[in-house]
Amino acid sequence: MIYFDHNATTPVDERVVDAMLPYLHDLYGNPSSLYRLGRMARSAIDSAREQVAALIDAPASQILFTSGGTEANALALASAQGKRLWISAIEHPAVVENALRQSGRYAGINSLPVEPSGLVAEQALRQFDLGAGDFISLMLANNETGAIQDVAGWVDRLKGRGVIMHTDAVQALGKIPVSFKQLGVQLMSLSSHKIYGPKGCGALVHDAGFSVQPMQWGGDQEQGLRAGTENVPAIVGFGKAAELARLEIEQRTHHIQRLRIRLEQQLKTITDLVIFAEQAQRLPNTVQFGIPGVNGQMLLMQLDRRNIAVSSGSACAAGSEQISPVLAAMGVDAALAKSAIRISLGQGNNQNEIDQFVDVLKTLLAGN
Ligand SMILES: Cc1ncc(COP(=O)(O)O)c(C=O)c1O
């Protein structure tokens, strides 16, 4: 199979599996237990926290492990209680749905508009009088188009105004360098399964001076901010995946970027094909495109029958007549948006697969 959907999830790296296995077998202790088996589990969590911290340039003490990116986003938004919440028009459902379904907790929810480039409109900064009492959630990289927002620039321009900034860095992590310090945000969400780690694990990173509001209570795990017995094997796996991403980021970026350049060169030979957010700086592994007159869902299924796994990019568009809210926010014509296909490359892909995919795509488009 040709797997081109690494923004959905990645295969677990064998080295990550090896690191996790002892914690699924003999080292099953509860990290809160005081005897040796428990202390070993605690120590494994501490090491994983250091590994994640090293990848994102943040103190380990500011990392809270969660059940994934979705919970990290929910936990971040729980700290927006009583504030005016601003979310960009292209946020992941893990932000949008958490905001909308708990709208009563905030002093209003507002959308930050996005330009056709896929980037949040700069004018929003001037247009709205943002200050203390405002909480912004602006993703670092978009899961569909791969567009990278200038989060550090936004933090810089809002400096001194008392605005709280959260960034969902789930898609950026492991694909581009992500430094919590350099971004300057108060809160950042991460997920393990996008960086060749196990599913069901992630983290919320918080600024030292920022007081995170818990969503659930029980034991005093994770500084009392995220109660519940820790998923030790998954946390160990996330830590190992983070360590590998840090050590290999240059070669990984180079590999996927080289493949994407080759892919885009070939895609551009297809008449009228449009690459979304092409003008924006994008993740090196992601290309989302549309072809006028094509049904994206049907194309996706035809590719699946040829053992090629791609995505339309938008979970909520799958199997429905709805178009991607991300593309809609960018002002993409509805018919073109319905033709969207997203390719997200990963470390296991090679040039052969790119060439094979484009051949199959061209054959399908020619109706053969
Ligand atoms: C941008 C973004 N945020 C959050 C999530 C949710 O992360 P998880 O699957 O770990 O809950 C995803 C997953 O697709 C994502 O792409």
Side-chain angles (χ1 to χ4, degrees), residues 117 131 163 238 243 328:
S117 63
V163 177
F238 184 19
E243 180 187 77

Side-chain angles (χ1 to χ4, degrees), residues 50-67:
E50 294 288 348
Q51 287 167 315
V52 174
L55 175 61
I56 55 159
D57 189 20
S61 58
Q62 294 171 213
I63 293 170
L64 301 172
F65 285 118
T66 65
S67 64

Side-chain angles (χ1 to χ4, degrees), residues 69-334:
T70 300
E71 189 192 330
N73 283 340
L75 194 53
L77 263 52
S79 297
Q81 182 144 11
K83 295 195 176 290
R84 259 197 324 177
L85 178 62
W86 299 82
I87 60 176
S88 87
I90 55 163
E91 292 302 311
H92 189 271
V95 165
V96 179
E97 292 301 317
N98 267 302
L100 294 181
R101 283 165 198 268
Q102 309 204 58
S103 55
R105 302 171 71 153
Y106 316 109
I109 303 178
N110 306 276
S111 179
L112 294 169
V114 170
E115 290 169 346
S117 63
L119 298 180
V120 173
E122 282 277 331
Q123 72 191 54
L125 269 179
R126 290 182 286 276
Q127 192 179 336
F128 307 117
D129 188 21
L130 299 168
D134 286 305
F135 184 110
I136 299 179
S137 187
L138 174 59
M139 71 197 325
L140 189 50
N142 185 262
N143 43 298
E144 290 192 33
T145 63
I148 299 170
Q149 304 291 332
D150 181 17
V151 172
W154 272 69
V155 170
D156 203 40
R157 287 188 288 278
L158 289 167
K159 211 177 216 140
R161 292 209 223 164
V163 177
I164 305 297
M165 288 278 299
H166 162 246
T167 192
D168 175 345
V170 164
Q171 288 296 343
L173 192 70
K175 296 173 189 141
I176 56 171
V178 173
S179 161
F180 182 72
K181 257 184 221 142
Q182 274 175 20
L183 288 172
V185 292
Q186 278 74 36
L187 295 161
M188 181 164 87
S189 302
L190 309 173
S191 176
S192 153
H193 73 103
K194 314 286 185 181
I195 64 162
Y196 305 91
K199 294 169 184 59
C201 191
L204 180 67
V205 190
H206 62 92
D207 193 43
F210 186 80
S211 143
V212 173
Q213 297 304 307
M215 288 196 302
Q216 63 194 42
W217 292 266
D220 67 354
Q221 292 91 351
E222 299 300 290
Q223 304 161 41
L225 298 171
R226 200 279 181 177
T229 303
E230 300 89 338
N231 185 349
V232 182
I235 290 172
V236 167
F238 184 19
K240 185 66 186 178
E243 180 187 77
L244 294 170
R246 179 174 61 82
L247 296 174
E248 298 174 0
I249 189 141
E250 258 176 59
Q251 91 199 43
R252 289 186 184 190
T253 305
H254 181 253
H255 176 68
I256 49 182
Q257 196 147 33
R258 211 167 45 94
L259 293 180
R260 197 191 65 180
I261 290 170
R262 187 180 182 94
L263 173 62
E264 288 193 355
Q265 275 168 352
Q266 297 189 38
L267 286 177
K268 282 178 177 172
T269 63
I270 296 171
T271 318
D272 295 334
L273 182 142
V274 177
I275 294 176
F276 300 123
E278 192 179 4
Q279 303 316 318
Q281 203 191 336
R282 284 174 295 142
L283 291 174
N285 77 320
T286 308
V287 54
Q288 189 186 32
F289 61 88
I291 308 168
V294 167
N295 179 327
Q297 292 296 318
M298 211 128 85
L299 183 56
L300 187 151
M301 295 318 294
Q302 287 172 321
L303 288 164
D304 181 42
R305 281 197 284 278
R306 284 161 179 79
N307 258 332
I308 301 175
V310 301
S311 161
S312 64
S314 163
C316 88
S320 81
E321 278 303 294
Q322 256 186 308
I323 67 161
S324 144
V326 171
L327 296 179
M330 288 163 58
V332 174
D333 166 74

